[in-house]
Amino acid sequence: MRALLCCLVGLVTVSADTALAQIKLQTKPANPNEARYFTSIDGLMDGNADVILKETRQGKTVTSAVLDLCYPAAKGSDRKDRFVANLAVNGQTMTGTAQTMDDKLPVTVKLTRRPTGDSFEFRGQITIGQSVTEVASSDNSDLSEKEFQSNQTIDDGITPAPKDFSEVSPESIGVRIKLDAAQEFLKNLKGQALEVSLASLSVGCDALRSGEQTINMSVDPDRAAALVAKFKSAPGVGAAGWTSGTVDIDRAIRFPAADWRDGDKLNKDKLAAAIAGVLVKTLAANSPASAWDANTGKLKLTFKRPSQLFPSLGLTEKVEISALVAPDKPGGSDQLMLWISTPVTSTIDESAGAKLNLTDETSGDEEGEPRDDNGSVEALAKEFKAQRWDSDNSAWK
């Protein structure tokens, strides 16, 4: 009897557990919410709109949607504006209203969405202020949450504390700052010895969505570390550091700094004379005019030599090379790095009497091929008893 009673108790317990499990399974939603994204609607605003349409679905039924649209504020303008509209869904129809972020214009959205096999078709109108945009787009594909998020990573290119200048440039610094603090930050840069990249002033769609933009500058490498430290504490700044810039490490050399400094300052006259002395020989040119840029710390050298294009005309070839001298890493070093640009050449007529007016219809080097510098980098390495960068081992040698 006792054995039978134990069996009955066990059976009741198992039955109760089974019933409880069934109840839990039954309470789970049959069609859990799923987010799907459209990151383009072909042809919208002549293809100039940056679109994110997020749909929340239960199975194949759309329960809600949000349209995030970034677009040129005026036709042909680089300035962007943006709105985010919550859309009410009624069958295949999506409607909603919003206001643009910058220009504060009213927005009305009326869209019809229709599945077409594995893709989707959108038709309707988007009204921004007085401007009406017709939407007629087919063959649009959606993305899963995972696929969408994998495409949202934005690299500002800023390295706050690089170990050296093999990946970033000593004169190029960047600041990631909140949009509402950018204007005051830029105002405070007026009158300072630096150059702000014009392209970085454009507030793109990524910046409007993240609420931050990255401002890039070129400065004298001697002042870069102090400016980075100062900018890090400025209002609204999320990151400050070095970025990629002018310097190509394959066209740089590294050498001991002791002979090229007066105290803690570079002996720029001695450096300019030494660099020019080497390049005069490799370029077969006359002694150059030289000037140091107070904003960026770059040395500009301008050489002249007889043009071989049409020797009897006595034309002159002008060769311009930029150079940059900096410590080989932030925070000071007993080693200096010297970089030189590839030569930029032009031909002019400086002969006596009437001049031949010349025009050069080429724009830069053909297909990115560098001009021949006649082994100038190697010659500088020999003169300065310097090392070259070994890309295979990521080290100076």
Side-chain angles (χ1 to χ4, degrees):
M1 178 67 73
R2 182 176 299 174
L4 178 60
L5 180 60
C6 289
C7 288
L8 288 172
V9 171
L11 181 62
V12 169
T13 302
V14 170
S15 300
D17 289 344
T18 303
L20 182 59
Q22 288 176 342
I23 291 172
K24 287 182 178 179
L25 286 173
Q26 290 171 0
T27 59
K28 288 183 179 180
N31 295 307
N33 288 339
E34 179 189 18
R36 303 291 295 185
Y37 295 83
F38 295 89
T39 54
S40 68
I41 296 180
D42 291 340
L44 185 58
M45 294 183 172
D46 297 323
N48 294 317
D50 187 312
V51 182
I52 299 177
L53 174 61
K54 177 183 179 181
E55 295 181 349
T56 302
R57 302 177 190 170
Q58 284 191 350
K60 294 184 178 181
T61 302
V62 180
T63 58
S64 64
V66 179
L67 177 62
D68 182 335
L69 185 65
C70 179
Y71 61 95
K75 191 171 183 179
S77 171
D78 289 333
R79 187 173 71 86
K80 306 291 185 182
D81 204 348
R82 172 187 175 230
F83 70 82
V84 179
N86 293 313
L87 304 181
V89 180
N90 184 7
Q92 293 186 341
T93 303
M94 299 177 172
T95 58
T97 60
Q99 185 181 65
T100 63
M101 288 179 59
D102 286 348
D103 294 338
K104 308 301 180 185
L105 297 174
V107 176
T108 302
V109 179
K110 297 178 181 178
L111 295 177
T112 300
R113 166 195 181 277
R114 187 170 69 89
T116 55
D118 293 333
S119 61
F120 297 83
E121 176 185 88
F122 291 95
R123 294 188 177 274
Q125 291 181 335
I126 298 175
T127 303
I128 303 174
Q130 301 299 314
S131 177
V132 179
T133 297
E134 297 291 336
V135 180
S137 179
S138 58
D139 197 25
N140 297 286
S141 299
D142 58 346
L143 301 173
S144 68
E145 179 79 36
K146 183 177 180 180
E147 291 169 330
F148 173 75
Q149 294 298 339
S150 68
N151 294 326
Q152 298 309 300
T153 302
I154 301 173
D155 183 7
D156 57 22
I158 296 173
T159 304
K163 61 182 178 61
D164 56 33
F165 290 124
S166 58
E167 300 292 338
V168 293
S169 200
E171 90 297 348
S172 184
I173 61 176
V175 173
R176 190 178 76 246
I177 189 169
K178 293 187 180 299
L179 292 179
D180 57 7
Q183 181 175 336
E184 190 63 28
F185 178 83
L186 288 165
K187 282 183 177 179
N188 290 333
L189 296 183
K190 289 187 175 184
Q192 295 194 37
L194 49 79
E195 294 179 355
V196 177
S197 167
L198 186 62
S200 71
L201 297 184
S202 176
V203 181
C205 295
D206 289 339
L208 287 175
R209 289 187 174 118
S210 67
E212 296 180 316
Q213 74 180 107
T214 299
I215 298 170
N216 294 315
M217 291 161 273
S218 295
V219 303
D220 189 320
D222 282 347
R223 300 195 308 274
L227 284 173
V228 167
K230 176 183 176 182
F231 292 155
K232 284 180 178 179
S233 62
V237 170
W242 284 262
T243 67
S244 60
T246 297
V247 171
D248 174 4
I249 197 70
D250 291 329
R251 292 191 59 80
I253 62 174
R254 187 179 80 153
F255 53 94
D259 292 339
W260 305 97
R261 281 183 175 149
D262 286 334
D264 59 349
K265 299 292 184 182
L266 290 177
N267 188 330
K268 291 187 174 182
D269 290 341
K270 184 178 179 181
L271 280 164
I275 296 167
V278 172
L279 298 182
V280 160
K281 297 174 184 176
T282 59
L283 299 175
N286 297 330
S287 295
S290 63
W292 292 88
D293 189 302
N295 292 333
T296 65
K298 289 181 184 175
L299 171 65
K300 182 178 179 180
L301 297 161
T302 304
F303 302 84
K304 290 181 180 180
R305 61 190 180 190
S307 172
Q308 302 302 312
L309 185 63
F310 204 118
S312 62
L313 287 176
L315 301 177
T316 299
E317 187 174 52
K318 185 168 67 172
V319 184
E320 294 181 341
I321 288 183
S322 295
L324 187 71
V325 182
D328 68 333
K329 58 185 178 181
S333 172
D334 59 358
Q335 299 285 319
L336 290 176
M337 184 170 70
L338 165 63
W339 163 87
I340 64 167
S341 67
T342 54
V344 176
T345 62
S346 58
T347 303
I348 55 178
D349 186 358
E350 292 186 330
S351 61
K355 303 293 190 291
L356 186 65
N357 295 318
L358 301 169
T359 181
D360 188 352
E361 296 177 354
T362 62
S363 57
D365 302 325
E366 292 293 330
E367 299 296 326
E369 289 295 324
R371 300 280 187 180
D372 184 9
D373 65 4
N374 296 327
S376 294
V377 178
E378 197 59 49
L380 286 166
K382 184 176 180 180
E383 176 68 21
F384 282 78
K385 299 179 177 59
Q387 298 172 308
R388 298 288 305 275
W389 181 256
D390 181 356
S391 297
D392 293 335
N393 296 303
S394 299
W396 293 100
K397 67 171 187 178

